[in-house]
Every structure is written in C-alpha cells, then in structure tokens.
Amino acid sequence: MKQILIATHGKMASGIRYTAELIVGQLAEITTIDAYVTPEDNVEEQFKEFFEKHKPKLFTEQYLKR
C-alpha cells in the first residue's frame, strides 16, 4: 500500500487529513506530522520513524529563492 505523508507547521497537516476524510471517509494510508506545535515536539524523530517504516522512492522539499 502506498503511504502519503503530510507534514506542516502547526496543525495544518491534521486539518488537511480531517477535511479529506469528511469527503471520502477514513484514509489509513495518510500519516500526518504537525510540526512545532509544542516546544517538546521532536520533528526529526517523527520523520525518522516514518521513513524507517515506509521507504520512499522520492522525497523533495522545494525552496524558492528570489
């Protein structure tokens, strides 16, 4: 099964998943990471755990510089 990761600052990732599930029902293939919600959040560990379970074929982050 393909796994989708949605990771954002704040609780936007959970909000995206919640909205999608209102439309199409429960989505077991989606994992969310709500980064930096509290000072105790260990985002690096959350990513590490996800990528140990799910070996991605492609992972990118774009940064646009003007």
Side-chain angles (χ1 to χ4, degrees):
M1 176 189 301
K2 292 183 180 181
Q3 191 68 23
I4 298 169
L5 173 65
I6 303 172
T8 63
H9 287 85
K11 295 193 178 229
M12 184 176 173
S14 292
I16 292 169
R17 179 181 180 155
Y18 177 78
T19 302
E21 288 181 339
L22 283 174
I23 298 167
V24 298
Q26 187 174 358
L27 298 168
E29 65 274 6
I30 294 181
T31 299
T32 59
I33 296 178
D34 293 324
Y36 310 111
V37 176
T38 66
E40 296 81 28
D41 285 346
N42 188 341
V43 177
E44 291 80 14
E45 186 62 30
Q46 292 176 32
F47 276 109
K48 181 180 173 187
E49 289 173 10
F50 177 84
F51 288 117
E52 284 175 353
K53 291 179 187 175
H54 310 283
K55 304 295 182 196
K57 294 184 182 199
L58 176 64
F59 177 72
T60 66
E61 179 177 325
Q62 295 182 345
Y63 176 74
L64 300 176
K65 193 174 189 180
R66 294 183 187 243

